[in-house]
Amino acid sequence: MANDAYSKLMDLYSEYSIMGQVDMVIGWDQNTYMPPGAAEMRGVQSSIIGAMRHRAITSRKVKDLLKEASREKELTEVQRSSLRWLRREHERKSAVPEKLVMEMARLEPVSIQAWIKARRENDFRQFLPILEKVFELRSKMAEHLGFAKTPYDALLEDFEPGMASGRADTILKGLRARLVPMVKRIVEEGGPVDDGPIRKGYSEKKQYEFGKQVLLDMGFDFNRGRMDTSAHPFTSGTYDDVRLTTRFDRKDLRPALFAFIHEGGHALYEQGLAKEFYGTPLGEAVSYGVHESQSRLWENQVGRSLPFWKHYAPFLRRTYPNMKSVRLEHLYRAFNMVRPSLIRVEADELTYNLHIMVRFEIEKGAMEGKVDLKDLPEVWDDCYERYLGITPPSVSQGCLQDIHWSMGLIGYFPTYSLGNLYAAQLMEAARRDLRDLDGSIEKGRFGTLLSWLRGNVHSKGRLYMAEDLMKRVTGKPLGEEAFISYMRTKFSDVYGLAL
Amino acid sequence: MANDAYSKLMDLYSEYSIMGQVDMVIGWDQNTYMPPGAAEMRGVQSSIIGAMRHRAITSRKVKDLLKEASREKELTEVQRSSLRWLRREHERKSAVPEKLVMEMARLEPVSIQAWIKARRENDFRQFLPILEKVFELRSKMAEHLGFAKTPYDALLEDFEPGMASGRADTILKGLRARLVPMVKRIVEEGGPVDDGPIRKGYSEKKQYEFGKQVLLDMGFDFNRGRMDTSAHPFTSGTYDDVRLTTRFDRKDLRPALFAFIHEGGHALYEQGLAKEFYGTPLGEAVSYGVHESQSRLWENQVGRSLPFWKHYAPFLRRTYPNMKSVRLEHLYRAFNMVRPSLIRVEADELTYNLHIMVRFEIEKGAMEGKVDLKDLPEVWDDCYERYLGITPPSVSQGCLQDIHWSMGLIGYFPTYSLGNLYAAQLMEAARRDLRDLDGSIEKGRFGTLLSWLRGNVHSKGRLYMAEDLMKRVTGKPLGEEAFISYMRTKFSDVYGLAL
């Protein structure tokens, strides 16, 4: 009987899950080929899908079946884990009143437009009332969801399930304490890095072909995916239909290339989910942090490594004749230049985490009533001064630079840094398990690394919670050690310092 | 109270309608940019949308609300018409058991594959059992739907609502009786037409630009639509998101150009639906025949007319230097060459309808048990001999040429010819209402024609049934007179015969 309830639940979940895939397809379309005039219609379509999915997961039927299924004792690990996710989804979606969900949905396009205008006009004051409204609605949402210590936890749970913000706090503060002096030393003693030779002219066609070759080498399956261009690079879709985008800068080959590799990492995760979990609660990525770990691992640990460029430097020189005389070491240093900067998305691998810290502290503080949003520009600038030693000359380049808060994405930012930490810890474990990983990378052979990630991370889907998965694969809970050690090794090398 | 029932019904219908739009977006994607490996997943996604829509429209709630709403006396014309369509949709979808719907859905990909293979191998026998199965399931469907005289009516109703096949029979037989001798005379006395000068080399880029300019001139709004390429030209989407495709033949500019104009006609209909009907039962095209009338009107009555080419011939000669010396009359004759041929999709405007007649008679006969599908190749060839005076040398070029039956589309073919008749009758009425229509076309100004179509056809949506709409706009029920008169005028001119 209960097993019957289980299979009924899985049938219901499969519709919920597959309608989510449909939403991804039309979302991809929206960001690539949709005619501009269709924006309003698309908004309606997406909200109808959202409403149908919401009704499906919060239905009385699901509630009753969950009760029935919970009485069953002899469930397999897969079944227990599936039920845990489904119950979590049901409870969280049921906890927030539909009225509030709709209010948030209606506010989103308005606040995005307001943010765009405020940023363009470099005017924080006009955005403030809407930003306050966004935080107010998210606070209400947190109240409905419930939390043990801080309302921030209720929001973080959407992006990094199972990680309380206290834990994130500890990890990220530990990270900050060690990064700030490291950055300071590099700035003061590291000497200049010349990235002139990689800022020449590059045709889009050649950049595309170069990126496509790297993606093929990484193991991206073009039969089950594709690549396009869009204003902001992203990856969308899952399993047999995974699509990534990039953008091109004709004067700098880094933006397109590292977006290819970064999005490629996300895409490999999605293409690597296990077929037997398709349409079930386990057939999805385990957390945003772990998803980000896959993009960061390929982008930074692989794509900015010396072995990687040992392989690709000759190909790069053949592709772009104007780079014929650039030396490998020069390339490697240029791709790993550290420079405190104002804009998060342009930051290097090391300082990137300090940008995240600023946002994490502010959004957490605001949710806890410790930061008044009226003071946001001053608080922001103060953090940048303390962590990065620089001060934004304007709010457009300061607290108005990110779209996230206008979209209601509060609790999202920490997953970027957690991703870096997961990535470093996973790479450390991969090096432990695989013989001569650098040797393979040097030959442009990524198959062993991909297989390792497939077996240990991708194919597991949501069978384990993120930190549990990490312990099983790396033998340790998540921490900053592996990342710090990786940073120290790399930047000691790049800057000739004993960090 | 009843008005409350009405508005509840409209809310429910709007979800049904908008999920249909979503299905169109992912259908367009499937035929343009979807990676090949995603086909199976896409099938699942589409069938989930289908199942959700089926459940929505056939629900007990809709049934009860329809009963409640029918008690209301003071409904407006729009409300009455909306309810009529919604009831029809509810009743037809409820009549067919879900098991049968699913059996048909499962058979479709199998039968399409079988048709592809049989056509490639020129082997009707291997396709016969599956074709019989398709007709068997459609017969069952017709039994469930119910019909007055012939099961064929139950199927035709899906494509040309309100038109009994008896009526279609009368119209199409009248048409055939007058077309067969006309074709015979042209073949015997018309003398040859030389289309050599329009079968040269044309780059895809130039063909694209030429077609795009024509679409812009026609009034297609690229802010609310787009164009792409696909294996078979089609139009998809509605209102602010209408997408058409074409294909290119580097040796012949006709396929791409006339596909642009034809699909453009479909697209203008969809872009011209009235905003106040969006998401309601009236916010859709009234029938397949009327839809086809819009594509045919633009493709043939406009796009193959002498005034049209008076305007575009200079542009054509500028675009393709190898056509510099082609005379206008030569162009006009080449675009209007009549030649009985084997393949429907390559047929000229006049003989096209005879291709349709063959299919209409056979599928109707098969549904009524008068044609045994075992004899299909012989029956087919016999019809071609009688109507067109030619005999297919193979089943691939004969009864296996169309995909329709393998997709279960029985009752669809007549709408192509009905479209031609609607188009001629509409164009006759437009000439009556508009001053110097040919003069405008000669100047490349299509605005008055488009406004007339918008006001009389597009913006009406489903407010009236197709024939009722025709009577209101043209003053007459649908008939073959206008088409015959149009054909006689044009081909007397082209061939110098008194037809």
Side-chain angles (χ1 to χ4, degrees):
Chain A
M1 265 311 272
N3 239 318
D4 194 41
Y6 177 81
S7 70
K8 277 183 195 155
L9 279 170
M10 290 306 115
D11 283 349
L12 291 173
Y13 189 88
S14 123
E15 289 199 2
Y16 173 77
S17 162
I18 286 162
M19 286 309 296
Q21 292 168 17
V22 169
D23 203 29
M24 284 198 280
V25 175
I26 70 171
W28 172 85
D29 179 77
Q30 183 167 4
N31 288 296
T32 51
Y33 296 110
M34 188 184 80
E40 195 187 328
M41 247 173 83
R42 183 54 51 85
V44 174
Q45 292 160 354
S46 221
S47 72
I48 293 277
I49 294 180
M52 290 180 104
R53 295 186 74 215
H54 190 266
R55 280 204 304 264
I57 198 73
T58 61
S59 74
R60 180 82 214 182
K61 204 164 164 186
V62 167
K63 190 176 177 175
D64 294 343
L65 285 168
L66 274 169
K67 206 175 288 171
E68 203 179 319
S70 70
R71 285 197 289 270
E72 175 62 68
K73 297 282 181 288
E74 297 186 11
L75 291 171
T76 65
E77 184 181 36
V78 164
Q79 289 175 323
R80 279 198 312 275
S81 188
S82 298
L83 278 180
R84 186 186 67 219
W85 278 103
L86 202 158
R87 175 169 293 114
R88 172 185 175 279
E89 200 78 358
H90 169 76
E91 286 173 355
R92 285 178 67 80
K93 292 290 194 295
S94 304
V96 186
E98 208 175 320
K99 205 172 145 248
L100 180 56
V101 173
M102 289 181 65
E103 204 178 349
M104 291 190 293
R106 270 196 306 270
L107 181 61
E108 191 184 311
V110 179
S111 62
I112 290 174
Q113 285 310 311
W115 166 74
I116 290 171
K117 185 165 173 289
R119 188 171 74 152
R120 195 176 50 223
E121 297 173 6
N122 193 35
D123 176 10
F124 176 71
R125 290 293 130 189
Q126 62 175 261
F127 183 52
L128 178 62
I130 288 168
L131 184 66
E132 286 176 333
K133 187 77 192 165
V134 170
F135 273 82
E136 183 198 319
L137 294 184
R138 291 288 147 177
S139 293
K140 279 190 191 164
M141 183 177 143
E143 292 298 331
H144 287 291
L145 287 167
F147 49 86
K149 283 196 178 151
T150 155
Y152 188 75
D153 283 351
L155 305 185
L156 182 60
E157 174 70 18
D158 259 347
F159 308 105
E160 203 58 29
M163 176 164 294
S165 64
R167 178 100 184 86
D169 223 32
T170 309
I171 297 172
L172 296 180
K173 278 195 182 135
L175 179 64
R176 193 187 69 202
R178 300 171 76 172
L179 287 183
V180 172
M182 206 186 280
V183 170
K184 199 157 180 282
R185 260 202 78 198
I186 290 175
V187 168
E188 287 169 4
E189 303 171 34
V193 163
D194 173 25
D195 66 346
I198 56 166
R199 304 201 318 166
K200 302 189 171 194
Y202 314 95
S203 81
E204 284 191 12
K205 192 164 169 284
K206 285 195 171 178
Q207 290 194 58
Y208 180 89
E209 279 161 14
F210 193 95
K212 186 169 181 182
Q213 185 57 52
V214 173
L215 281 170
L216 278 168
D217 294 343
M218 283 165 64
F220 180 74
D221 181 354
F222 279 92
N223 185 50
R224 302 192 296 131
R226 51 177 291 122
M227 57 195 242
D228 298 84
T229 57
S230 66
H232 302 281
F234 69 94
T235 303
S236 174
T238 187
Y239 286 93
D240 297 337
D241 190 0
V242 181
R243 308 179 185 196
L244 58 90
T245 70
T246 194
R247 59 178 164 187
F248 297 99
D249 182 338
R250 286 168 169 278
K251 297 226 170 104
D252 192 335
L253 51 76
R254 286 169 293 187
L257 177 60
F258 289 109
F260 271 129
I261 306 177
H262 180 97
E263 302 304 332
H266 282 305
L268 289 174
Y269 191 177
E270 293 291 337
Q271 286 190 337
L273 291 167
K275 258 292 158 72
E276 73 254 39
F277 292 158
Y278 178 77
T280 79
L282 303 191
E284 287 165 50
V286 66
S287 79
Y288 280 67
V290 174
H291 222 309
E292 194 69 11
S293 79
Q294 298 306 294
S295 53
R296 297 285 169 173
L297 186 149
W298 286 97
E299 178 191 355
N300 294 328
Q301 308 253 0
V302 177
R304 294 186 205 267
S305 73
L306 193 60
F308 183 89
W309 285 105
K310 273 192 187 151
H311 177 70
Y312 285 107
F315 179 40
L316 195 76
R317 294 189 198 105
R318 276 199 308 278
T319 306
Y320 307 108
N322 58 4
M323 299 194 71
K324 213 162 47 188
S325 57
V326 183
R327 284 178 21 252
L328 172 64
E329 288 67 26
H330 203 141
L331 268 182
Y332 175 59
R333 280 171 59 90
F335 288 143
N336 286 291
M337 190 173 64
V338 172
R339 185 163 54 187
S341 62
L342 295 167
I343 307 298
R344 176 182 59 87
V345 298
E346 294 167 4
D348 59 79
E349 199 177 353
L350 185 60
T351 61
Y352 186 89
N353 299 289
L354 298 173
H355 291 263
I356 296 306
M357 231 65 76
V358 175
R359 289 147 178 86
F360 172 57
E361 287 182 28
I362 291 176
E363 64 182 15
K364 189 161 177 284
M367 287 295 294
E368 293 169 352
K370 291 173 192 159
V371 170
D372 189 336
L373 290 170
K374 285 185 189 59
D375 308 326
L376 178 55
E378 294 74 35
V379 178
W380 183 282
D381 292 357
D382 180 57
C383 285
Y384 265 78
E385 185 55 47
R386 280 188 292 130
Y387 304 160
L388 287 145
I390 52 175
T391 306
S394 67
V395 283
S396 295
Q397 292 170 282
C399 64
L400 289 182
Q401 70 181 263
D402 299 303
I403 196 173
H404 298 61
W405 290 336
S406 74
M407 295 175 74
L409 295 174
I410 299 163
Y412 189 113
F413 282 119
T415 67
Y416 291 126
S417 277
L418 294 173
N420 286 329
L421 304 190
Y422 285 127
Q425 205 162 313
L426 284 170
M427 198 63 171
E428 200 176 72
R431 285 189 197 287
R432 176 198 67 201
D433 293 352
L434 303 172
R435 222 156 43 89
D436 194 23
L437 182 54
D438 284 342
S440 312
I441 294 175
E442 223 177 284
K443 294 190 189 76
R445 293 194 194 130
F446 305 107
T448 49
L449 178 59
L450 180 57
S451 296
W452 188 89
L453 290 168
R454 286 264 146 100
N456 287 295
V457 181
H458 306 177
S459 66
K460 299 299 181 196
R462 283 172 164 176
L463 185 57
Y464 311 113
M465 299 295 281
E467 277 222 76
D468 188 13
L469 178 72
M470 208 45 46
K471 272 183 235 164
R472 284 170 185 265
V473 180
T474 71
K476 295 182 279 206
L478 183 65
E480 77 275 18
E481 281 309 326
F483 183 73
I484 291 294
S485 147
Y486 158 60
M487 289 285 93
R488 185 175 285 139
T489 309
K490 178 183 261 190
F491 292 105
S492 294
D493 188 25
V494 169
Y495 282 95
L497 294 169
L499 289 167
Chain B
M1 264 311 273
N3 239 317
D4 194 42
Y6 177 81
S7 70
K8 277 183 195 155
L9 277 171
M10 289 307 113
D11 283 350
L12 291 173
Y13 189 87
S14 125
E15 290 198 359
Y16 173 76
S17 163
I18 287 162
M19 286 309 296
Q21 293 167 18
V22 169
D23 203 28
M24 283 198 281
V25 175
I26 70 171
W28 172 84
D29 178 78
Q30 184 168 2
N31 287 296
T32 50
Y33 297 111
M34 187 185 80
E40 195 187 327
M41 248 173 84
R42 182 55 50 87
V44 174
Q45 291 160 355
S46 220
S47 72
I48 293 276
I49 294 180
M52 289 179 104
R53 295 186 74 214
H54 191 267
R55 279 202 306 262
I57 197 73
T58 61
S59 74
R60 178 82 215 183
K61 205 165 163 186
V62 167
K63 190 176 179 177
D64 294 343
L65 286 168
L66 274 170
K67 206 175 285 171
E68 203 179 319
S70 70
R71 285 196 290 269
E72 175 61 68
K73 296 281 180 288
E74 298 184 11
L75 291 169
T76 64
E77 184 181 35
V78 165
Q79 290 176 323
R80 280 198 311 275
S81 188
S82 297
L83 278 180
R84 186 185 67 220
W85 278 103
L86 203 158
R87 176 170 292 114
R88 172 184 175 277
E89 200 76 0
H90 169 75
E91 286 172 356
R92 285 179 68 81
K93 291 291 195 292
S94 304
V96 186
E98 209 175 318
K99 205 172 147 248
L100 180 56
V101 174
M102 288 181 65
E103 203 178 349
M104 290 190 294
R106 271 196 306 270
L107 181 61
E108 191 183 311
V110 178
S111 62
I112 292 175
Q113 285 311 312
W115 165 73
I116 291 171
K117 185 164 174 287
R119 188 170 75 150
R120 194 178 49 225
E121 297 174 8
N122 193 33
D123 175 11
F124 176 72
R125 291 292 129 191
Q126 61 175 261
F127 183 52
L128 179 61
I130 288 168
L131 184 66
E132 285 176 331
K133 186 78 193 166
V134 171
F135 272 81
E136 183 199 318
L137 294 184
R138 291 287 149 179
S139 294
K140 279 190 191 164
M141 184 178 142
E143 292 298 330
H144 286 291
L145 288 167
F147 49 85
K149 284 196 177 151
T150 153
Y152 188 73
D153 282 350
L155 305 185
L156 182 60
E157 175 70 19
D158 260 347
F159 308 106
E160 204 58 27
M163 176 164 293
S165 64
R167 180 97 185 87
D169 222 32
T170 308
I171 298 173
L172 296 180
K173 277 195 182 135
L175 180 64
R176 193 188 70 202
R178 301 172 75 174
L179 287 183
V180 171
M182 207 186 282
V183 170
K184 198 158 179 281
R185 261 203 77 198
I186 292 175
V187 168
E188 285 169 4
E189 302 171 33
V193 164
D194 172 27
D195 67 344
I198 56 166
R199 304 204 314 169
K200 303 187 169 195
Y202 314 94
S203 82
E204 283 191 12
K205 192 163 168 285
K206 285 195 172 179
Q207 290 195 58
Y208 180 89
E209 279 161 14
F210 193 93
K212 185 169 182 182
Q213 186 57 52
V214 173
L215 282 169
L216 278 167
D217 294 342
M218 284 166 65
F220 180 74
D221 181 354
F222 280 93
N223 184 50
R224 303 193 295 131
R226 52 177 292 122
M227 54 194 243
D228 297 85
T229 56
S230 65
H232 302 281
F234 69 95
T235 303
S236 172
T238 188
Y239 286 93
D240 298 338
D241 191 359
V242 181
R243 309 181 183 195
L244 57 89
T245 70
T246 194
R247 60 177 162 187
F248 297 99
D249 181 339
R250 285 167 169 279
K251 297 227 171 105
D252 191 336
L253 51 77
R254 286 171 292 188
L257 177 60
F258 288 109
F260 271 128
I261 306 177
H262 179 99
E263 302 304 332
H266 282 304
L268 289 174
Y269 190 179
E270 294 291 337
Q271 286 190 339
L273 292 167
K275 258 291 157 75
E276 73 254 38
F277 292 159
Y278 179 76
T280 79
L282 304 191
E284 285 165 50
V286 66
S287 78
Y288 280 67
V290 174
H291 224 309
E292 194 69 10
S293 81
Q294 299 306 293
S295 54
R296 296 285 168 174
L297 187 149
W298 286 97
E299 180 191 354
N300 294 328
Q301 309 252 0
V302 176
R304 294 185 205 267
S305 73
L306 194 59
F308 184 89
W309 286 105
K310 272 190 188 151
H311 178 70
Y312 285 107
F315 179 40
L316 194 77
R317 294 189 198 104
R318 277 199 308 279
T319 307
Y320 307 108
N322 58 4
M323 298 192 73
K324 215 163 43 188
S325 57
V326 183
R327 284 178 19 253
L328 172 64
E329 288 67 27
H330 204 140
L331 267 183
Y332 175 58
R333 280 172 60 90
F335 287 144
N336 285 290
M337 191 173 64
V338 172
R339 187 163 54 187
S341 63
L342 295 167
I343 306 299
R344 176 183 60 86
V345 297
E346 294 166 5
D348 58 80
E349 200 177 350
L350 184 60
T351 60
Y352 186 89
N353 298 289
L354 298 174
H355 290 264
I356 297 305
M357 232 66 77
V358 174
R359 289 147 179 86
F360 172 57
E361 288 183 26
I362 290 175
E363 64 182 14
K364 188 161 177 285
M367 286 296 293
E368 293 169 352
K370 291 173 191 159
V371 169
D372 189 337
L373 291 170
K374 285 185 188 62
D375 307 324
L376 178 57
E378 293 75 34
V379 178
W380 183 281
D381 293 358
D382 179 56
C383 286
Y384 265 78
E385 185 54 46
R386 280 188 293 130
Y387 303 158
L388 286 146
I390 52 175
T391 306
S394 67
V395 283
S396 295
Q397 291 170 280
C399 65
L400 288 183
Q401 71 183 264
D402 298 303
I403 195 174
H404 299 60
W405 290 337
S406 74
M407 295 175 76
L409 295 174
I410 299 162
Y412 189 114
F413 281 120
T415 68
Y416 290 127
S417 277
L418 294 173
N420 286 330
L421 303 189
Y422 284 125
Q425 206 163 314
L426 285 170
M427 198 63 170
E428 201 175 71
R431 283 187 198 287
R432 178 197 67 198
D433 294 352
L434 302 173
R435 221 158 43 90
D436 195 22
L437 183 54
D438 283 343
S440 314
I441 294 175
E442 223 177 285
K443 295 189 188 75
R445 294 195 193 128
F446 305 107
T448 50
L449 178 60
L450 180 58
S451 296
W452 188 89
L453 291 169
R454 286 264 146 100
N456 287 294
V457 181
H458 305 177
S459 66
K460 300 300 181 197
R462 282 173 166 175
L463 185 56
Y464 311 113
M465 299 295 280
E467 278 222 76
D468 190 13
L469 178 73
M470 208 45 47
K471 273 183 234 163
R472 284 168 185 265
V473 181
T474 71
K476 296 181 278 204
L478 183 65
E480 77 274 21
E481 281 309 326
F483 183 72
I484 291 295
S485 148
Y486 159 60
M487 288 285 93
R488 185 175 287 140
T489 309
K490 179 183 258 190
F491 292 106
S492 294
D493 187 26
V494 168
Y495 282 95
L497 295 169
L499 289 168

